Amino acid sequence: VARIEDLSTPCLLLRRQVLAANCARMATRMDGLGVALRPHMKTAKSAAVAALATRGQDRPITVSTLAEAAYFLDAGFDDITYAVGIIPQKLAAAAELQGRGARLTMITDNLEGVTALSEEAARLGASFDFLIEIDCGAGRAGLPPASPAVLELGRRLQDAPGLSLKGVLTHAGHSYGCRSSEEVVAVAEEERSGAVQAAEALRAAGLPAPVVSVGSTPTALHAARLHGVTEMRPGVYMLGDLDQMALGSCSLEEIAAGVLARVIGHNRQAGHLLIDAGGLALSKDLSANRFLDNVGYGRLCDRSFTPLTERLYLAEAHQEHGMVKAPGGAPPPFERYPLGSEVVVLPNHICMTAAAYDGYHVVNGAGEVEDFWPRATGW
Amino acid sequence: VARIEDLSTPCLLLRRQVLAANCARMATRMDGLGVALRPHMKTAKSAAVAALATRGQDRPITVSTLAEAAYFLDAGFDDITYAVGIIPQKLAAAAELQGRGARLTMITDNLEGVTALSEEAARLGASFDFLIEIDCGAGRAGLPPASPAVLELGRRLQDAPGLSLKGVLTHAGHSYGCRSSEEVVAVAEEERSGAVQAAEALRAAGLPAPVVSVGSTPTALHAARLHGVTEMRPGVYMLGDLDQMALGSCSLEEIAAGVLARVIGHNRQAGHLLIDAGGLALSKDLSANRFLDNVGYGRLCDRSFTPLTERLYLAEAHQEHGMVKAPGGAPPPFERYPLGSEVVVLPNHICMTAAAYDGYHVVNGAGEVEDFWPRATGW
């Protein structure tokens, strides 16, 4: 059996037991709230993780790229919502997936685009199911729930040859700006009520809206009720990260993934350690710094994911160099971290960090490397 | 012949003629300064680009990972400097490369690590060439040029079985903080004089220092003289990016690489376009924002790399969503960018951005896609 110390660095570690507990907790919670779980696989991008998140079955999933859709289809997951606005240029790839057995659901919020989407569907001899994207307050994409454009888009989709209306979808991205559980509960209610309002407006106009899809990890974990919602699409809860910890969506102990790195230098003049995980190994995401001090590009733990007593963190990230400092400018204890010492870095944002790796080294509590799970990559 | 509009997005475009001119300009400049060019391939990570950078020959190169070293060795580049501090755990991989014909040069600045490196070399039955890393003012890694530790490390390396001293190496990373050509010229002289001082100290002590290796793109392009230097290791000059443009290392027209993306949505309420290039497609690097306004995660051009007249830029980057705004909060001209419209995003930092892709779509001035050049990935 390989051990963590046998791995070359940097690499991505995944704690199987922690992952399994995170998946089970979310599934139980969705059962309790009476909605289907359609986990968003854009974070983990792994069929093995998807199997855990869907309780061992090839159940509904969400993806953020058609490359993910193809990967998961090959792994047996055929009920796939592609939760990024579709464009005509991507329909050929989507039709190819449907030809291989995928049941795809697309989203759009673009009135002007319906004609081009319908024409491309006709050219391909394909038909596509659509949800209307709703903006429940995040301000990224989607139509406002009360906008007349929701009905107009619904009519156009339903009338356009090759396109079918199946409901609405929203994502409470603004849950990532909340500072308290109470705020997340309020955002979750905005997410729920916005999606339900839009779906009810469609139904009142005689249009179909069987699907009411919502979800983000913070709102999935904090929503007080989900009346009218049919499915939730959280994703990052499976792995967790410092940003989710800062948001109250997980504890430190519930973070399942981290980057294994080694000490490659001591800069005694400048007062930092160097490790072989820098900007490429961790990403340049700084999200958790808006809530936490002494985070930088990540916090250092030992091989068992226990934070180092010196509270070391990655203060700067160059391409392959990570500069590790102690809080308050104290010099790191160089003698405790000789050249080659292993550390685990918990990243700010695991979606961004994990994307640099082609897979996970799956570890157990005893520090044994049990498996390697590939990840979907690219677009 | 495929055209840019046939490509699926997001993807990485590389302008062959611009790349070739960038490579030729640097090679000519190094000839004029009388130093060897050992281009740093950590940016481009492509054998085809390395062939251009080394004038069609399998000449010396620099890498930042042993995965790059293996990739370039397979492509015929066997004279490789691995310019990140080595640790004992990586020597087995290095020895394997040497067994396949690589002439590797390693670096270290760590007095305490020499014994472990030598013991691992003995265990592997291998020997390794070393440069001492010098800190010429960047404050990342390396020993100060005048430090007695330089001589002590030189002696230890020269005395340690299996290890050989070959000289010194430094990198003026602080050139990236300069605001004027004059400042870069001064930093280039710090880089040169620091490396030469350390090399001369080693020689005065009877230790070998045939190699005096320096380099960053800004200093390579601005150094007034390189007396005593034997080789330069710039890298990002091949491709260029907004940060290099802001530093005066390239013009906008000399940026050879960008991300092709398409418009996937119009948010009329919030006043932004959405494109299918977000944080994964561009990285979360924000470097050029310290010098330029209205950059965000990148600036938008048309397919021929001409900036859009509306000066649109990527104001926010979610995983697969890029939010495009106009300066000063003006609404983007939605009607000019219908769903599916193609744009090219010039990134802040091409080293970080290119790492998300498995290769380049090589384009000519007529918008034809001439080739696909793979990239080295991972570690």
Side-chain angles (χ1 to χ4, degrees), chain A:
Chain A
V1 175
R3 300 192 58 82
I4 289 177
E5 52 266 43
D6 300 326
L7 297 173
S8 70
T9 49
C11 68
L12 190 57
L13 299 184
L14 178 56
R15 300 199 285 171
R16 188 199 294 261
Q17 284 91 339
V18 177
L19 166 71
N22 292 346
C23 289
R25 186 167 51 247
M26 183 62 81
T28 301
R29 180 165 165 77
M30 291 303 108
D31 283 346
L33 286 161
V35 302
L37 177 59
R38 182 186 285 277
H40 206 317
M41 299 313 303
K42 79 181 181 74
T43 305
K45 296 199 185 202
S46 153
V49 176
L52 279 172
T54 59
R55 301 177 232 202
Q57 299 168 64
D58 302 339
R59 295 271 292 271
I61 61 167
T62 311
V63 300
S64 66
T65 69
L66 290 175
E68 287 167 54
Y71 164 86
F72 284 106
L73 177 63
D74 288 341
F77 295 86
D78 62 0
D79 180 357
I80 302 172
T81 295
Y82 171 50
V84 176
I86 191 76
I87 55 177
Q89 289 90 337
K90 299 194 185 192
L91 286 183
E96 195 269 333
L97 295 176
Q98 291 189 155
R100 291 204 281 126
R103 291 173 289 145
L104 285 182
T105 302
M106 319 284 191
I107 68 170
T108 189
D109 62 2
N110 195 274
L111 275 172
E112 297 80 7
V114 172
T115 302
L117 291 168
S118 177
E119 288 172 357
E120 180 66 1
R123 193 185 73 78
L124 295 163
S127 60
F128 300 102
D129 288 347
F130 273 87
L131 306 177
I132 295 175
E133 187 168 14
I134 302 297
D135 182 358
C136 61
R140 182 174 75 183
L143 298 168
S147 167
V150 173
L151 293 185
E152 178 60 23
L153 180 54
R155 286 192 197 96
R156 291 195 195 182
L157 285 169
Q158 194 61 2
D159 291 346
L163 312 185
S164 298
L165 178 64
K166 296 295 180 186
V168 299
L169 175 146
T170 195
H171 166 63
H174 52 321
S175 65
Y176 283 72
C178 295
R179 294 306 310 261
S180 69
S181 295
E182 292 70 27
E183 287 183 53
V184 183
V185 171
V187 168
E189 176 55 18
E190 284 179 17
E191 186 181 51
R192 185 203 70 79
S193 63
V196 170
Q197 177 184 3
E200 289 177 347
L202 290 168
R203 291 174 193 141
L207 292 163
V211 177
V212 181
S213 180
V214 307
S216 74
T217 286
T219 55
L221 290 168
H222 286 85
R225 65 193 197 113
L226 289 171
H227 181 70
V229 167
T230 65
E231 64 178 30
M232 259 280 182
R233 307 183 321 279
V236 69
Y237 72 93
M238 301 171 210
L239 303 184
D241 55 29
L242 292 179
D243 197 46
Q244 293 298 322
M245 185 185 83
L247 288 162
S249 294
C250 68
S251 67
L252 187 79
E253 294 71 25
E254 289 164 349
I255 296 177
V259 171
L260 182 70
R262 289 195 171 94
V263 173
I264 59 166
H266 299 155
N267 190 324
R268 293 175 189 273
Q269 289 75 34
H272 60 251
L273 289 163
L274 290 156
I275 62 173
D276 60 1
L280 286 191
L282 284 158
S283 97
K284 291 274 184 110
D285 193 286
L286 287 164
S287 50
N289 289 273
R290 70 196 191 289
F291 296 133
L292 302 172
D293 293 328
N294 302 317
V295 170
Y297 297 89
R299 282 188 176 166
L300 271 65
C301 296
D302 65 19
R303 288 191 303 229
S304 60
F305 284 66
T306 303
L308 302 180
T309 51
E310 304 90 355
R311 298 168 56 217
L312 302 180
Y313 68 101
L314 203 67
E316 288 188 42
H318 298 190
Q319 182 163 343
E320 298 293 349
H321 292 81
M323 290 165 56
V324 173
K325 295 191 177 180
F334 295 106
E335 66 290 346
R336 290 188 56 183
Y337 299 97
L339 210 63
S341 302
E342 280 123 20
V343 295
V344 169
V345 187
L346 303 182
N348 285 307
H349 188 174
I350 189 64
C351 308
M352 295 295 301
T353 298
Y357 300 88
D358 58 2
Y360 304 92
H361 296 280
V362 182
V363 298
N364 65 22
E368 293 166 340
V369 183
E370 299 184 333
D371 214 336
F372 181 80
W373 289 352
R375 285 174 47 88
T377 59
W379 286 276

Side-chain angles (χ1 to χ4, degrees), chain B residues 99-177:
Chain B
R100 291 204 282 126
R103 291 174 289 143
L104 284 183
T105 302
M106 318 284 192
I107 68 170
T108 188
D109 62 2
N110 196 274
L111 276 171
E112 298 80 7
V114 171
T115 302
L117 291 168
S118 176
E119 287 171 358
E120 181 65 1
R123 193 184 73 79
L124 295 163
S127 60
F128 300 102
D129 289 347
F130 273 87
L131 306 177
I132 295 174
E133 187 169 13
I134 302 297
D135 182 358
C136 61
R140 181 173 76 184
L143 298 169
S147 167
V150 173
L151 293 184
E152 178 61 23
L153 180 54
R155 286 191 197 97
R156 290 195 197 183
L157 285 169
Q158 194 60 2
D159 292 346
L163 312 185
S164 297
L165 178 64
K166 296 294 180 187
V168 299
L169 176 146
T170 194
H171 166 63
H174 53 321
S175 65
Y176 282 72

Side-chain angles (χ1 to χ4, degrees), chain B residues 294-330:
Chain B
N294 302 317
V295 171
Y297 297 89
R299 282 187 176 167
L300 270 65
C301 297
D302 64 19
R303 288 191 304 228
S304 60
F305 284 66
T306 303
L308 301 180
T309 51
E310 303 90 356
R311 298 168 57 215
L312 301 180
Y313 68 102
L314 202 69
E316 287 188 43
H318 298 190
Q319 183 163 343
E320 300 293 349
H321 292 81
M323 290 166 56
V324 172
K325 295 192 177 179

